[in-house]
Amino acid sequence: MNKILIVEDEEKVSNIQKAYLEREGYEVYTSTTGLKGLELFDSIEFSLVILDLMLPDIQGEEICKIIRDKSDVHIFMVTAKSALEDRIEGLNTGADEYLVKPFSPRELVARVNSLFRRLEANNSPVLSLDNGSIQIYKDSRIVKVKGQEVSLTPNEFNILYALAINKGKVLTREQLIDRVFGMDFEGFDRTIDVHIKNIRKKIEEDSKNPKYILTVTRMGYKFGGES
């Protein structure tokens, strides 16, 4: 059973979300403060964290950074901030999805169900690319570059994997959004650009002159490297 942690200072809101998610069969834990949320996270293995940014004791962005330093758990960042810059900052902090309040509990359930369907759908074997320089272990969601493991967020991993299994083929931003986030995604195209930038920093020797994730002007991205 997938375990979900909700960190939300409005207890009424978290209780409603908890009830809807439990109805779907998830095991849900809640916290009204950031520090208690971190304590729960350290004591239980969660598959998803739903994290509100406005908390009474510690900012959600800081919690996201702390969690991301120790785990690649999927993180839904929840906030009333809807500006493009705020969304980009949230993704750069380590969030995988950015939900803007208000949203219905039914929408949340749909996004959570979609997430776990995507994570469980593909059980492909290990991909070895560029003469073994990059190895992608789908089942364990591990990526190694020249033998060294690199830490990717869940969405970063999914984007890299989507490009890698389509090596040499151009995928548009819309195609990547569909494959990684699902058709019900209501974000913006630059979400992909932000993730691509972060992936390049982690797997490329020179992120400004990438060898693996290549930009195809006015079209999208493709995976390069040697055959």
Side-chain angles (χ1 to χ4, degrees):
M1 181 183 296
N2 288 309
K3 295 181 175 63
I4 299 173
L5 171 62
I6 299 174
V7 184
E8 164 67 61
D9 65 329
E10 295 186 46
E11 191 169 355
K12 181 179 179 181
V13 172
S14 64
N15 285 341
I16 292 173
Q17 294 174 354
K18 183 175 187 287
Y20 271 77
L21 290 168
E22 286 181 336
R23 194 180 302 167
E24 294 292 309
Y26 300 109
E27 186 175 338
V28 184
Y29 297 76
T30 63
S31 171
T32 56
T33 67
L35 293 177
K36 180 186 175 185
L38 288 172
E39 289 180 6
L40 282 170
F41 185 82
D42 287 336
S43 62
I44 299 170
E45 185 175 350
F46 289 102
S47 302
L48 170 65
V49 177
I50 300 171
L51 175 63
D52 187 41
L53 293 188
M54 301 299 291
L55 298 168
D57 55 345
I58 180 173
Q59 290 296 308
E61 291 93 341
E62 184 63 26
I63 295 173
C64 185
K65 291 177 183 177
I66 293 171
I67 291 176
R68 188 55 73 221
D69 283 344
K70 65 178 80 173
S71 171
D72 65 353
V73 66
H74 213 96
I75 299 174
F76 282 9
M77 189 173 280
V78 178
T79 177
K81 300 177 182 178
S82 60
L84 176 62
E85 293 75 14
D86 294 321
R87 293 178 181 229
I88 292 175
E89 181 181 355
L91 294 170
N92 281 330
T93 301
D96 299 288
E97 292 199 32
Y98 194 98
L99 302 181
V100 178
K101 290 182 175 180
F103 56 85
S104 73
R106 291 176 59 192
E107 177 187 356
L108 176 64
V109 168
R111 288 183 178 275
V112 171
N113 286 342
S114 178
L115 164 67
F116 288 121
R117 282 197 303 270
R118 294 196 305 272
L119 294 180
E120 295 166 3
N122 198 328
N123 292 313
S124 300
V126 178
L127 285 178
S128 182
L129 302 155
D130 197 27
N131 297 318
S133 295
I134 290 186
Q135 294 178 310
I136 304 174
Y137 298 77
K138 180 59 181 176
D139 291 343
S140 57
R141 301 181 67 80
I142 289 174
V143 175
K144 292 183 179 180
V145 179
K146 295 182 178 178
Q148 298 297 313
E149 185 175 337
V150 296
S151 178
L152 300 180
T153 70
N155 277 346
E156 289 169 0
F157 181 94
N158 292 340
I159 290 170
L160 176 61
Y161 189 78
L163 290 168
I165 62 175
N166 291 281
K167 187 179 183 301
K169 178 181 177 180
V170 179
L171 296 181
T172 66
R173 291 171 178 81
E174 291 76 16
Q175 287 174 318
L176 286 169
I177 286 173
D178 183 29
R179 297 183 187 203
V180 175
F181 298 98
M183 295 184 66
D184 59 347
F185 179 69
E186 297 179 354
F188 51 100
D189 288 351
R190 283 190 61 189
T191 297
I192 294 296
D193 297 338
V194 173
H195 286 309
I196 291 291
K197 179 180 178 181
N198 291 336
I199 296 169
R200 282 172 170 164
K201 289 179 180 178
K202 297 176 181 181
I203 72 169
E204 302 278 3
E205 288 187 8
D206 182 357
S207 61
K208 294 183 179 179
N209 295 286
K211 174 182 179 181
Y212 299 118
I213 300 184
L214 307 178
T215 300
V216 181
T217 305
R218 297 183 181 178
M219 294 184 67
Y221 298 98
K222 69 177 181 179
F223 195 94
E226 300 293 331
S227 300

